[in-house]
Amino acid sequence: MRLLRRLLEWLLIFVTAIACAHASDPSDQNALAPYRPAMLDAYQKDLNHLPPLPRYDLILRVDPFTRRLSGQGTVSAPNRHTIPLTELYLRLFPNLPQYHGTMQVQTIAINGQTTAFELTAEDTAIHVLLPEPLLPGHSAVISYTWTVDAPSIETGYALFGESQGILSLPLSYPTLTVSEMGKAGQRLNWHLEIAPAHGDVAFLESALYQVQVITASDMLVIGSGTVVSKTTTVEGQAAWYFVTGPVREFMLLLSRHLRQLTGRAYDTLVHSYFLPEDHEAGQRALEYAIAAAQVYSDHYGRYPFTDLSVVSAPLEYRGMEYPGINLIGVDVYRRRRADLEFLIAHELAHQWWYNLVGSDPVNYPWLDEGLAEYSTYIYYESVYGKEAAERLRQNRWELPVAYAKENGLDTIVGQPASGFGPANYETMVYAKSALFFHALRLAIGDDAFFRLLQTLLSDYRYQIMTPDIFLEEAQKISGKDLKPLYREWILSAKKL
């Protein structure tokens, strides 16, 4: 038994060495060159030290009249586990009921070999058996073709599809499913959960993207990352070429109507996109985005990417975050302009707590939403002072949570999005979670609190943070036993 254990230990060391050698291979570093324009000069070195990440190389042809996307491309899928992979899953998020769209995969090939696949998880994923086991430290190249049909939505909340002259196409390509080792260490658990309509839908690892978008020549195309070229095809269409650094997903929007203003937050270009009649609010949005990006860079660590955008979108009075792109509902630019600054401050915080430091928003939505929400306190405290931040805490968090308790809506924060209903999701996941982070700050002091957030950014950038990791880091940095505070706020319904 001892000899077998020693052999297994040496095998693990050997596999790890292969993976590390692959990551530091000079030819592999040359392959990273296309992604460097998306990274600020000071952070391009991050690319040299990344673990093997998925790499998507996509061509997306978008017909804005029919709202059809036809895609082809490849994704390099690394096996970062310690056991061989015999299967893979790809998520088809447009097939979710709340998206009202359709994604159909036509062909799949693994390392050039055509492979059968089957739909699963209520048609929101496909299951692929690998032609041969994928060993630890190795990658498989998946080639695929697919189509997406997006809906037309006349009024209301339109996260996916066309509304008000804006075509929003989040997650419009098959995405690799996150997997993790089971407790027995002999099998993988695949994250195929179907998120409820009131929560975020995607739990994804960081990946690198090269994306070409081909569409009508008069369309403005907004995508995650940085535009490195725009050319004209022989058919007279526009071909936009985007690259990204390590990001959670690729977001795509198209419109003939949006206008643009650009400023700078430190070395990052900040873009504000808005409809022509909202020019004044679009200018304000740019100013708020620059201020928020600088506050969070000062308190957490610099934003490492070249571009950052705030985009007016058909989301009514709500917002939504994507890598490098923060959507703000059109109504906020008009009838609810008093909320514009707060909503931008919240959504931009997700560029740190979701995109840079990832977490599972389906099973632990409080972790990234709570940190993003509490970041607005830090923003108002930095820009307007302590008194303004305290008014925010009282009005946006304390009062709604007190109301929830009085009306039977209070519940445990540390549960999946499916454990909440539309009536209490935001109050619990946003407001009550923010109050936990405020209580944590008071318990450990400002110095330890901000060292904690800076440590999380430096140590878990482009990785996934779990609640256990967060608690462990908080206790290590503060030197305090924080389990009672954590149980009180996150694992039980706390009495105010």
Side-chain angles (χ1 to χ4, degrees):
M1 180 63 73
R2 183 177 300 172
L3 177 61
L4 177 60
R5 185 182 299 113
R6 179 64 58 86
L7 287 172
L8 289 173
E9 289 173 352
W10 277 107
L11 178 61
L12 180 58
I13 292 170
F14 178 69
V15 166
T16 303
I18 292 175
C20 293
H22 175 74
S24 60
D25 187 343
S27 63
D28 198 53
Q29 297 307 310
N30 292 334
L32 293 171
Y35 309 103
R36 296 191 186 281
M39 308 286 291
L40 296 177
D41 289 346
Y43 290 91
Q44 289 189 13
K45 63 181 182 299
D46 286 1
L47 294 171
N48 302 330
H49 305 292
L50 291 171
L53 294 183
R55 300 184 193 178
Y56 291 84
D57 194 343
L58 309 175
I59 300 175
L60 311 178
R61 292 177 171 83
V62 182
D63 185 337
F65 298 101
T66 63
R67 304 174 307 284
R68 166 163 279 207
L69 181 152
S70 300
Q72 65 185 86
T74 63
V75 55
S76 174
N79 180 4
R80 298 195 298 190
H81 298 297
T82 57
I83 62 173
L85 292 181
T86 59
E87 61 183 352
L88 289 172
Y89 290 85
L90 297 168
R91 294 306 301 265
L92 315 180
F93 287 110
N95 290 342
L96 287 167
Q98 57 265 46
Y99 271 27
H100 307 288
T102 303
M103 176 182 280
Q104 294 183 321
V105 176
Q106 278 82 43
T107 61
I108 292 278
I110 307 293
N111 296 332
Q113 181 176 339
T114 301
T115 305
F117 59 91
E118 60 180 0
L119 287 164
T120 187
E122 300 180 26
D123 294 346
T124 69
I126 56 174
H127 179 216
V128 181
L129 291 175
L130 297 178
E132 56 186 31
L134 180 60
L135 298 178
H138 290 67
S139 294
V141 177
I142 305 170
S143 305
Y144 46 30
T145 61
W146 73 97
T147 59
V148 173
D149 291 292
S152 175
I153 303 170
E154 290 188 11
T155 60
Y157 184 79
L159 184 65
F160 183 85
E162 190 276 331
S163 183
Q164 301 181 55
I166 301 169
L167 178 57
S168 300
L169 295 170
L171 296 164
S172 287
Y173 56 97
T175 59
L176 288 170
T177 302
V178 175
S179 59
E180 57 193 19
M181 294 294 298
K183 292 183 178 179
Q186 299 298 318
R187 62 183 300 274
L188 297 180
N189 296 324
W190 297 87
H191 283 274
L192 299 171
E193 300 92 342
I194 298 175
H198 56 259
D200 293 340
V201 303
F203 173 34
L204 300 170
E205 292 185 286
S206 291
L208 297 168
Y209 289 84
Q210 298 182 69
V211 182
Q212 187 178 55
V213 181
I214 301 172
T215 190
S217 60
D218 60 344
M219 299 295 289
L220 172 67
V221 179
I222 305 169
S224 295
T226 292
V227 178
V228 293
S229 69
K230 180 188 176 186
T231 60
T232 302
T233 69
V234 294
E235 295 85 8
Q237 292 190 303
W240 300 67
Y241 180 43
F242 294 85
V243 298
T244 76
V247 297
R248 302 290 157 180
E249 58 193 283
F250 184 82
M251 173 58 175
L252 178 64
L253 297 100
L254 302 94
S255 177
R256 291 183 175 85
H257 307 299
L258 291 173
R259 302 293 183 264
Q260 178 183 358
L261 291 171
T262 296
R264 189 179 292 272
Y266 295 128
D267 294 326
T268 294
L269 292 175
V270 181
H271 312 283
S272 173
Y273 296 94
F274 49 89
L275 294 169
E277 57 268 41
D278 301 323
H279 187 276
E280 181 184 349
Q283 176 65 51
R284 290 284 189 184
L286 177 62
E287 295 167 2
Y288 297 147
I290 290 172
Q294 292 180 164
V295 166
Y296 301 146
S297 288
D298 291 343
H299 285 82
Y300 307 146
R302 290 293 174 90
Y303 182 78
F305 301 122
T306 306
D307 292 273
L308 179 64
S309 298
V310 174
V311 185
S312 176
L315 302 183
E316 296 179 321
Y317 54 88
R318 299 178 177 90
M320 184 62 193
E321 73 282 356
Y322 297 98
I325 296 176
N326 306 275
L327 303 187
I328 306 296
V330 173
D331 287 357
V332 185
Y333 286 73
R334 299 173 184 174
R335 292 179 291 276
R336 302 184 63 160
R337 196 180 295 185
D339 294 332
L340 183 62
E341 185 172 17
F342 173 84
L343 199 56
I344 287 174
H346 173 94
E347 299 305 338
L348 255 77
H350 277 301
Q351 299 305 323
W352 280 259
W353 313 118
Y354 142 73
N355 188 31
L356 288 175
V357 180
S359 58
D360 182 350
V362 179
N363 289 300
Y364 309 110
W366 70 271
L367 190 52
D368 78 313
E369 291 297 353
L371 271 170
E373 187 77 357
Y374 189 67
S375 294
T376 64
Y377 184 99
I378 296 168
Y379 171 83
Y380 276 84
E381 185 180 34
S382 301
V383 175
Y384 299 109
K386 189 75 170 182
E387 185 177 341
E390 282 297 295
R391 284 198 301 270
L392 174 74
R393 181 179 63 83
Q394 178 68 23
N395 295 331
R396 285 197 176 265
W397 306 332
E398 292 281 5
L399 292 178
V401 170
Y403 176 87
K405 286 198 62 65
E406 293 168 359
N407 291 272
L409 297 173
D410 188 33
T411 188
I412 295 171
V413 169
Q415 58 180 321
S418 58
F420 307 93
N424 69 348
Y425 178 79
E426 288 195 14
T427 303
M428 296 291 104
V429 170
Y430 291 64
K432 194 172 181 181
S433 298
L435 291 176
F436 160 71
F437 287 107
H438 190 67
L440 175 64
R441 179 179 176 182
L442 294 178
I444 66 177
D446 279 10
D447 181 66
F449 182 77
F450 286 109
R451 278 195 293 116
L452 167 63
L453 298 183
Q454 291 159 10
T455 299
L456 292 174
L457 183 68
S458 64
D459 291 359
Y460 296 93
R461 185 163 60 227
Y462 318 129
Q463 301 180 47
I464 292 171
M465 173 180 63
T466 65
D468 288 345
I469 288 173
F470 176 84
L471 181 59
E472 180 181 347
E473 292 290 345
Q475 294 191 133
K476 181 169 64 176
I477 288 172
S478 68
K480 295 185 176 182
D481 179 8
L482 299 173
K483 294 185 182 70
L485 182 73
Y486 185 80
R487 283 195 299 268
E488 182 181 23
W489 281 97
I490 303 301
L491 301 182
S492 61
K494 178 185 182 297
K495 294 182 180 180
L496 295 178

